[in-house]
Amino acid sequence: MRQHHDMGGLPAGPVDRREHDYALWEKRVDALMMLLSEPQRQLLRVDELRRNIEALPPDAYDSMSYYERWISAIAHTLLQRGVLTADELGRKLAEVEARGTAG
Amino acid sequence: MTEIHHLHPHRHPAVPDDDGPLGYYQALEVAVRELLVEKGIFSGDDVRRAIEAMDARTPAQGARIVARAWTNPAYKARLLADGTAAARELGIDTAATRLIAVENTRLLHNLVVCTLCSCYPRMVLGLPPDWYKSRAYRSRAVREPRGVLREFGTVLPEDVEVRVHDSTADMRYLVLPERPDGTEGWSEERLAGLVTRDSMIGVTRCRL
């Protein structure tokens, strides 16, 4: 069966040609991917990033922005590899949300 | 698998800068980054350097490759034979990805897409435009490329063959556009000024 991300050739509307400048947080997500993939770390392969993006349910895939899908997939990969544990990520996330700033 | 997106109780709109309240995925980025820094996997400076390096990758790099190929037949032959090595000659490192250059001619027009995700020659052109990653472009570029091209203002004569290249994680395509007429004798630098990002994706042609 065709998976949700496999959209080549399907009918779709006109191309929305509007562009946005990437926000700092999006660039940071990109930087995380680049750094984790570097040969000296090898903590993320592009196949893992893609597998974890493609594993998103269709409604999540469509409603999440591009870098939202990426950070979700990066976090999943790090959990799958045991680089991070769900506990520590959950605790840190609560701490960041309580703090409410990126700094 | 922990369903991170399911932990999220409600959806926040994307926040365009870092001054407003953090959205869930922005907080997730902060949390992941801080944990990795705490574990010594990389430093905050590494993150800043990676961002600066990505910001420095712009279509101007691709334009240098194209202008060199337009003015130097030996370089063009090397570019079409091995895009990765030809980029490296100009100091552009494509890292783990292979670069494949495809040449537009009077009778052949090349268009690049990534139907499965968003693979793009990011090491040469920088980050892709939003539309490249959109459902509409990814779906339609392979089925009705002429219709997509028309939306970008590119109307090709019927006798021009359109070839669509579907990128993969490991193979990234760069279109070598046709050199516009009336540019005979131009310097490489001046020619590079004609080469747009979109012409290297293949949705437009270079014009004077």
Side-chain angles (χ1 to χ4, degrees):
Chain A
M1 197 185 88
R2 185 196 275 263
Q3 280 188 277
H4 186 68
H5 68 278
D6 183 6
M7 58 186 73
L10 295 178
V15 177
D16 181 349
R17 294 172 55 203
R18 281 176 302 178
E19 297 179 30
H20 86 292
D21 291 329
Y22 287 104
L24 181 56
W25 84 272
E26 295 177 299
K27 293 182 180 186
R28 284 205 206 100
V29 173
D30 203 273
L32 295 187
M33 188 279 287
M34 298 290 275
L35 290 169
L36 290 169
S37 311
E38 281 179 358
Q40 67 268 37
R41 294 188 192 87
Q42 297 191 35
L43 290 173
L44 178 84
R45 293 186 55 83
V46 67
D47 316 76
E48 293 174 297
L49 183 75
R50 283 191 50 187
R51 178 166 55 81
N52 282 316
I53 289 173
E54 291 164 10
L56 288 166
D59 62 326
Y61 189 99
D62 285 339
S63 62
M64 290 163 75
S65 75
Y66 185 73
Y67 280 109
E68 288 177 347
R69 294 197 291 257
W70 269 41
I71 189 60
S72 158
I74 289 169
H76 276 302
T77 303
L78 294 171
L79 293 173
Q80 287 155 359
R81 279 180 173 252
V83 177
L84 303 180
T85 67
D87 267 2
E88 66 184 345
L89 183 56
R91 273 198 305 275
K92 179 59 98 172
L93 195 51
E95 182 194 313
V96 172
E97 290 193 315
R99 201 172 70 200
T101 67
Chain B
M1 182 181 7
T2 312
E3 296 291 343
I4 288 170
H5 57 281
H6 284 163
L7 300 177
H8 186 212
H10 56 278
R11 228 161 257 302
H12 300 282
V15 179
D17 56 47
D18 292 85
D19 298 321
L22 286 181
Y24 173 78
Y25 292 100
Q26 290 162 289
L28 183 59
E29 181 278 318
V30 177
V32 169
R33 173 165 46 87
E34 289 187 358
L35 284 173
L36 293 172
V37 169
E38 284 166 20
K39 287 170 185 284
I41 289 169
F42 50 64
S43 67
D45 277 342
D46 290 330
V47 177
R48 276 188 287 280
R49 272 195 292 272
I51 291 172
E52 283 168 13
M54 202 65 232
D55 279 343
R57 297 180 188 109
T58 72
Q61 293 191 135
R64 278 170 54 221
I65 293 176
V66 169
R68 176 67 56 91
W70 281 350
T71 53
N72 183 329
Y75 181 79
K76 179 173 145 183
R78 291 199 295 280
L79 174 67
L80 295 175
D82 184 346
T84 312
R88 198 180 308 119
E89 263 188 63
L90 300 191
I92 302 160
D93 177 11
T94 63
T97 52
R98 180 175 162 212
L99 185 70
I100 298 170
V102 287
E103 183 187 16
N104 283 355
T105 67
R106 287 273 178 254
L107 292 172
L108 174 65
H109 186 91
N110 294 284
L111 178 67
V112 179
V113 65
C114 174
T115 62
L116 292 174
C117 42
S118 56
C119 301
Y120 183 77
R122 54 170 28 230
M123 302 303 281
V124 180
L125 301 182
L127 299 177
D130 291 314
W131 53 258
Y132 186 84
K133 305 179 287 190
S134 71
R135 173 168 288 275
Y137 185 76
R138 287 165 54 188
S139 299
R140 291 175 53 227
V142 287
R143 172 66 62 90
E144 37 156 343
R146 285 175 195 271
V148 170
L149 287 169
R150 254 194 310 278
E151 288 170 30
F152 284 85
T154 304
V155 180
L156 299 173
E158 274 305 310
D159 64 339
V160 173
E161 178 190 343
V162 178
R163 211 172 274 175
V164 183
H165 303 270
D166 198 354
S167 314
T168 71
D170 308 311
M171 295 193 327
R172 311 296 170 98
Y173 294 93
L174 182 78
V175 174
L176 173 57
E178 254 193 296
R179 178 172 173 168
D181 291 334
T183 58
E184 294 74 17
W186 282 34
S187 71
E188 226 175 284
E189 197 181 6
R190 193 172 171 207
L191 285 167
L194 296 178
V195 184
T196 61
R197 177 197 70 195
D198 288 1
S199 71
M200 292 181 278
I201 302 173
V203 290
T204 60
R205 288 178 288 188
C206 291
R207 300 175 181 287
L208 271 189

